[in-house]
Amino acid sequence: MATLFIADLHLQTEEPAITAGFLRFLTGTARQADALYILGDLFEAWIGDDDPTPLHRDIAAAIKALVDSGVPCYFIHGNRDFLLGKRYARESGMQLLPEEKVLDLYGRKVLIMHGDTLCTDDAGYQAFRAKVHKPWLQRLFLALPLFVRQRIAARMRAGSRAANSNKSMDIMDVNLQAVVEAMQKHHVQWLIHGHTHRPAIHTLTANGQVAHRVVLGAWHHEGSMVSVTANNVELLPIPF
């Protein structure tokens, strides 16, 4: 058996092929797992658990069916869906996790996170993140009428695309020192994250020993997952 990790699906109504690929994954490969961990950005945007978008209901039902089949599902918020709340977690059967979590997988300690907090060279993004994660601001936003939240979210996405188009690829990648510090903070030699859309397994040094950073890919023309077993850690494609 294996524990599976995915991230950065960016599900949206405008991308039905990705949604279909995810639904097939939930009724196929995922059914054989010990557990499924979704490391953020399951959705392209999230403006509140009260959003009646049919896609959200379909995904909740599919994840709930996976959980009801005996495969627990865990969720760490991403930078796109950090407002996903307890109401949707109950509907889908997902268990919400903190932004950094250490797992004991078959005797191997593994740190998991979305990964955006590791991109410390992007000062503009980190300042924005600190602002939108203020609880009072989130409560204020979620209290707004749905149509107002939709307009704000659309403007924010457009602004994000414009800002990222002017940033170097290096700035938007993780900072190696931030990676090492996170692994040393949690005393682990394995880290799994998403966010950067640069799938790879990197070898580095942390805690005075060889360590490994596993980066999940985004779901575009195919999916991406990490499979952890007692004997191996693999980064694998998921054909649509």
Side-chain angles (χ1 to χ4, degrees):
M1 297 288 281
T3 297
L4 304 181
F5 300 83
I6 60 175
D8 300 297
L9 286 77
H10 296 274
L11 297 176
Q12 53 186 314
T13 305
E14 295 78 8
E15 295 285 354
I18 299 175
T19 299
F22 181 50
L23 293 176
R24 284 193 294 272
F25 168 76
L26 290 177
T27 57
T29 303
R31 290 293 175 100
Q32 309 304 316
D34 286 329
L36 173 65
Y37 289 81
I38 303 173
L39 305 187
D41 286 2
L42 174 61
F43 295 99
E44 172 66 9
W46 195 266
I47 59 173
D49 290 4
D50 59 335
D51 185 346
T53 300
L55 170 65
H56 299 170
R57 308 281 75 77
D58 293 343
I59 296 301
I63 294 175
K64 186 63 164 56
L66 174 70
V67 173
D68 288 346
S69 77
V71 181
C73 183
Y74 304 90
F75 180 81
I76 289 181
H77 295 94
N79 57 295
R80 296 284 186 173
D81 50 19
F82 60 88
L83 289 175
L84 190 149
K86 295 179 180 179
R87 172 177 163 183
Y88 192 77
R90 286 193 299 270
E91 181 182 353
S92 62
M94 295 191 298
Q95 300 179 49
L96 301 180
L97 298 179
E99 64 181 34
E100 296 182 1
K101 177 70 174 178
V102 175
L103 307 176
D104 187 342
L105 297 176
Y106 319 105
R108 183 187 292 109
K109 288 182 65 179
V110 180
L111 171 63
I112 60 173
M113 61 175 67
H114 177 58
D116 57 331
T117 54
L118 301 172
C119 301
T120 55
D121 293 331
D122 192 346
Y125 169 73
Q126 295 300 333
F128 170 78
R129 186 185 190 281
K131 181 185 300 182
V132 298
H133 277 75
K134 293 183 183 298
W136 69 266
L137 187 60
Q138 292 183 2
R139 289 194 297 269
L140 179 62
F141 176 80
L142 292 172
L144 295 172
L146 185 64
F147 78 93
V148 176
R149 282 179 270 154
Q150 289 171 331
R151 292 177 181 176
I152 293 173
R155 286 200 297 269
M156 289 175 66
R157 287 198 300 274
S160 175
R161 286 193 293 268
N164 288 342
S165 67
N166 295 319
K167 292 177 182 177
S168 73
M169 295 299 289
D170 288 343
I171 285 178
M172 291 189 290
D173 202 355
V174 301
N175 176 282
L176 181 56
Q177 185 58 36
V179 170
V180 171
E181 289 176 358
M183 298 182 79
Q184 292 182 163
K185 170 186 172 184
H186 293 283
H187 308 289
V188 299
Q189 303 309 118
W190 286 90
L191 165 64
I192 301 174
H193 71 83
H195 181 66
T196 63
H197 300 187
R198 302 180 186 188
I201 299 180
H202 302 274
T203 300
L204 62 147
T205 300
N207 301 298
Q209 304 174 53
V210 174
H212 307 276
R213 177 171 68 93
V214 187
V215 188
L216 285 154
W219 289 45
H220 293 304
H221 304 297
E222 64 180 8
S224 174
M225 74 174 181
V226 169
S227 171
V228 179
T229 65
N231 299 318
N232 206 3
V233 178
E234 296 181 283
L235 177 61
L236 302 169
I238 304 173
F240 287 166

